[in-house]
Amino acid sequence: MDYLKDFIIHFVGLSIGNHQFEFEVNDLFFEQFEYSQLQRGDVKVVVELDKQERMLVFSFRIDGSVEVTCDRCADEFMLPVSGTEHLIVKYGEGYTEESDDMITIPSTEYKVDLAPFIYEYLHLMLPVKIVHPDTADGNTGCNAETLQILEKLSVHSDTDPRW
């Protein structure tokens, strides 16, 4: 079964105006993409489609959490992700990506696959440096044993006082 077929919007039969779609992104979603940084998650994606005569305007609301690996201690944890994204789809001669949020599809096309866009948006919501959030008492949420081992193995050099 092709899990990603549920993320295809057949817009030809839709009337002009607003339409809403909801998607559940879970482990099966991430399994469809090779070499994905994300392997597990539970994310709800609500897509508002504003169908117009010569273009489609998609608005994505993304809320949930994905499993990531901490860059400091290498433990996995669930990171909350939340945000909004927009995609404009225009009709034209062929497939082109005009900018990060605007693409052109052939005027003969009748569907749009949102899976690659949702996949990309989820990855773009990840911070550059992924670390455990601090606990309520202000301490790091990282694995204490791993941090102790790293501290023992780290090279401490005396700095030159002239600098």
Side-chain angles (χ1 to χ4, degrees), residues 3 25-32 39-42 78:
Y3 178 76
V25 175
N26 55 31
D27 303 350
L28 289 172
F29 178 84
F30 297 113
E31 287 175 7
Q32 308 304 310
Q39 296 297 317
R40 298 184 57 228
D42 183 23
M78 296 303 282

Side-chain angles (χ1 to χ4, degrees), residues 52-116:
Q52 301 173 9
E53 281 292 326
R54 297 295 305 149
M55 72 177 160
L56 307 168
V57 180
F58 291 95
S59 298
F60 298 81
R61 282 193 327 262
I62 300 171
D63 285 304
S65 59
V66 292
E67 186 177 74
V68 293
T69 303
C70 179
D71 291 335
R72 186 183 302 150
C73 70
D75 275 358
E76 294 178 343
F77 68 99
M78 296 303 282
L79 178 73
V81 290
S82 181
T84 59
E85 295 288 341
H86 300 282
L87 174 67
I88 298 171
V89 179
K90 298 188 321 183
Y91 305 118
E93 296 297 314
Y95 292 99
T96 58
E97 187 173 325
E98 296 182 26
S99 67
D100 290 341
D101 61 350
M102 185 180 299
I103 63 170
T104 302
I105 62 173
S107 54
T108 57
E109 190 61 69
Y110 62 94
K111 63 183 177 180
V112 174
D113 184 4
L114 297 181

Side-chain angles (χ1 to χ4, degrees), residues 110-138:
Y110 62 94
K111 63 183 177 180
V112 174
D113 184 4
L114 297 181
F117 297 103
I118 293 170
Y119 175 80
E120 181 179 333
Y121 296 151
L122 286 170
H123 280 79
L124 290 172
M125 289 180 180
L126 299 178
V128 174
K129 185 175 181 181
I130 300 172
V131 294
H132 281 91
D134 290 342
T135 60
D137 57 1

